[in-house]
Amino acid sequence: MIRISQSPERAKRVFDLVAPHLFRGPAHICHLDECVGGRKLHWISVGAPQSRRVILYLHGGAYFTGSGVAYRGLAGHISKATGLRVCLPDYRLLQDAPFPAAFDDALQAWNYLLSIGYRPQDIVLGGDSAGGGLMLALLAHLTQTAQHPRAAFAMSPWTDLTLSGASLQTKSEVLLPVSRMNDVVDRYLDGAPRNDPRASPLFARFDHPPPVLIQVSRDEALLDDALRMGAVLGDAADMRVWPDVPHVWQMFAGYIPQARSALAELGAFVQTSFESDNR
């Protein structure tokens, strides 16, 4: 579905146009946005979200597509499942600025949340695919600077831009053809080392990470990226491997029952992470 060509800009425009219609959210989504440091932040919620708690979500799209507009539906489902507001930044993509611009923008979004009164323990990090890897890179940096979010969750995360996972050779990928991933990495990193922990959190150091839920399909090319990431995180990882579903199947809520079940699992994980505060 996502195909890089000579024009990543066109691929992004097409995805932004199609995704809101293909990946519909629940009813009654509230979608607001604001500009912070030259980047747009999207605030998405359903119903009456809990106050003073938030999810900082980094969208997928192989670092050349995706936006808050395209991910409005999935963010709405996440808000409904968790009872929290979702903050989704439009971080710079590979056609906008060279690496590590996306990481810098993710960190800027975190710092903005702190500046408006959220504490680290009020924030849950989330992301999918490339955004899941970016989220885990941010998490590693935060733990190294003694800033610990409440929890984190990753859907089918892309964690190793060295492309050394065995499942890349044995499984196919519909949303991002494996044969093109090398080209994507070269364009995104623009000469930076592939094992830079800001790009490949598989090689990052995590200092006392919070609980991290990882959902991945047994049948997808990024399976080994997720499994090896879970091994790096150790006891902090809550690894959930799902059969017979595609990459980031949670986006297909409304189409397949496994998407609804995975979102319910995610919602329970996030709610449980705050239980100690509710006692």
Side-chain angles (χ1 to χ4, degrees):
M1 180 176 295
I2 299 175
R3 298 185 181 278
I4 192 165
S5 65
Q6 293 300 313
S7 176
E9 295 85 356
R10 182 177 185 277
K12 181 182 183 302
R13 286 196 302 270
V14 171
F15 189 71
D16 282 355
L17 180 65
V18 172
H21 302 284
L22 182 61
F23 305 118
R24 292 185 178 276
H28 309 301
I29 293 178
C30 176
H31 183 176
L32 306 173
D33 62 62
E34 63 177 312
C35 190
V36 176
R39 308 308 305 168
K40 186 174 286 188
L41 282 181
H42 300 263
W43 294 90
I44 297 170
S45 60
V46 173
Q50 299 176 41
S51 62
R52 308 317 309 162
R53 293 173 179 175
V54 68
I55 294 171
L56 175 57
Y57 190 85
L58 303 176
H59 68 76
Y63 296 112
F64 69 93
T65 66
S67 66
V69 170
Y71 271 76
R72 177 180 184 271
L74 179 58
H77 284 297
I78 292 171
S79 176
K80 184 177 180 179
T82 61
L84 301 183
R85 201 177 187 192
V86 178
C87 176
L88 201 159
D90 280 348
Y91 59 85
R92 284 171 290 177
L93 302 174
L94 62 84
Q95 60 266 34
D96 301 322
F99 174 83
F103 177 86
D104 292 342
D105 291 346
L107 181 57
Q108 175 181 272
W110 168 269
N111 288 332
Y112 177 68
L113 292 180
L114 298 184
S115 75
I116 60 175
Y118 290 101
R119 303 169 300 170
Q121 61 266 35
D122 299 327
I123 305 171
V124 173
L125 300 183
D128 69 280
S129 196
L134 183 59
M135 179 277 291
L136 288 160
L138 175 63
L139 178 62
H141 171 81
L142 295 176
T143 65
Q144 292 170 28
T145 55
Q147 302 179 79
H148 289 81
R150 171 67 61 168
F153 62 89
M155 307 171 181
S156 303
W158 189 10
T159 66
D160 175 16
L161 270 60
T162 73
L163 306 180
S164 62
S167 58
L168 288 174
Q169 309 305 319
T170 60
K171 299 180 184 294
S172 62
E173 185 56 78
V174 175
L175 291 181
L176 176 63
V178 172
S179 62
R180 305 306 302 273
M181 292 177 76
N182 195 60
D183 184 29
V184 171
V185 172
D186 283 343
R187 294 193 187 198
Y188 174 58
L189 292 178
D190 194 33
R194 290 188 171 209
N195 63 352
D196 189 309
R198 295 169 297 177
S200 297
L202 185 67
F203 305 105
R205 188 184 84 246
F206 293 82
D207 293 344
H208 308 292
V212 180
L213 173 68
I214 300 177
Q215 295 176 326
V216 66
S217 170
R218 181 188 63 191
D219 307 305
E220 67 172 291
L222 292 180
L223 173 62
D224 282 338
D225 276 50
L227 294 178
R228 290 180 296 155
M229 191 73 250
V232 169
L233 290 165
D235 292 341
D238 185 352
M239 179 66 61
R240 303 298 177 96
V241 181
W242 287 65
D244 305 320
V245 289
H247 178 64
V248 195
W249 71 97
Q250 299 86 344
M251 293 189 77
F252 295 93
Y255 295 97
I256 59 174
Q258 296 96 323
R260 293 191 298 272
S261 298
L263 288 164
E265 179 179 83
L266 188 160
F269 168 81
V270 171
Q271 291 162 10
T272 298
S273 72
F274 285 104
E275 278 187 356
S276 61
D277 285 358
N278 297 329
R279 294 187 180 120

